[in-house]
Amino acid sequence: VERVRHEAEAVVGILQANNCVLNMPVWFDMESTKYESMGTATISAMIEAFREVVENAGYIFGIYTNRNWWTYLLPDYVKTAYPAWIAAFPSTEYDNGTIKESLRPSYGDGWQYSGYGMKTGRLAGFQNPSWMLDMDIFYRIWNPIS
């Protein structure tokens, strides 16, 4: 929990040092298999530690996770209390960067529909043409927070 708090402080520090104005939450990524066995109490404490730092700095807090975590591991209160960005995309061999409507979650404020965008072409600022980009859709607009 303390490590999570320090990570949140580092993120907020970078945002503040660069005078960042955000039009979406600062997302806490909760999908690592190394956290799966920690139990609901510890997972809740981790979420709340990150949230507290982010919100105390004046930013909006949100959860980024996958379907498995959403369904089986996140505490129920999290699913209604905070914005959610859900990763749900095909396995690597079938992910070509396009939307697969059958995978669209019926919950959340955003959907990561691909982990392999930009298989062809280049994006300004990306030097390595083999780098892949996440592809996302958001269903909500937040007011800018600085």
Side-chain angles (χ1 to χ4, degrees):
V1 173
E2 282 308 305
R3 182 174 170 199
V4 166
R5 186 179 313 281
H6 291 301
E7 288 177 11
E9 289 167 352
V11 169
V12 165
I14 291 167
L15 293 172
Q16 290 174 333
N18 290 283
N19 298 313
C20 290
V21 176
L22 303 179
N23 63 353
M24 64 174 20
V26 176
W27 301 99
F28 182 40
D29 188 338
M30 289 300 293
E31 61 178 346
S32 175
T33 56
K34 69 182 177 181
Y35 301 138
E36 288 180 0
S37 64
M38 292 188 169
T40 303
T42 301
I43 290 170
S44 291
M46 292 168 65
I47 290 168
E48 294 307 316
F50 197 95
R51 181 198 58 77
E52 182 180 278
V53 171
V54 167
E55 289 182 352
N56 285 346
Y59 295 101
I60 300 168
F61 167 80
I63 294 283
Y64 169 83
T65 193
N66 59 39
R67 284 181 189 261
N68 183 62
W69 266 80
W70 179 271
T71 304
Y72 302 108
L73 298 165
L74 284 181
D76 286 339
Y77 81 92
V78 170
K79 298 173 186 179
T80 57
Y82 310 121
W85 175 14
I86 311 298
F89 49 87
S91 60
T92 304
E93 67 265 26
Y94 300 108
D95 188 352
N96 62 7
T98 62
I99 293 174
K100 305 283 189 283
E101 285 295 333
S102 62
L103 298 176
R104 183 186 299 265
S106 61
Y107 44 85
D109 301 288
W111 171 33
Q112 181 189 345
Y113 65 86
S114 175
Y116 290 92
M118 293 296 294
K119 281 192 172 185
T120 60
R122 294 188 58 147
L123 184 65
F126 284 81
Q127 302 303 315
N128 186 337
S130 67
W131 288 350
M132 300 301 137
L133 302 175
D134 291 350
M135 306 295 283
D136 305 278
I137 296 173
F138 284 88
Y139 311 107
R140 182 172 172 187
I141 297 171
W142 293 272
N143 292 324
I145 303 291
S146 59

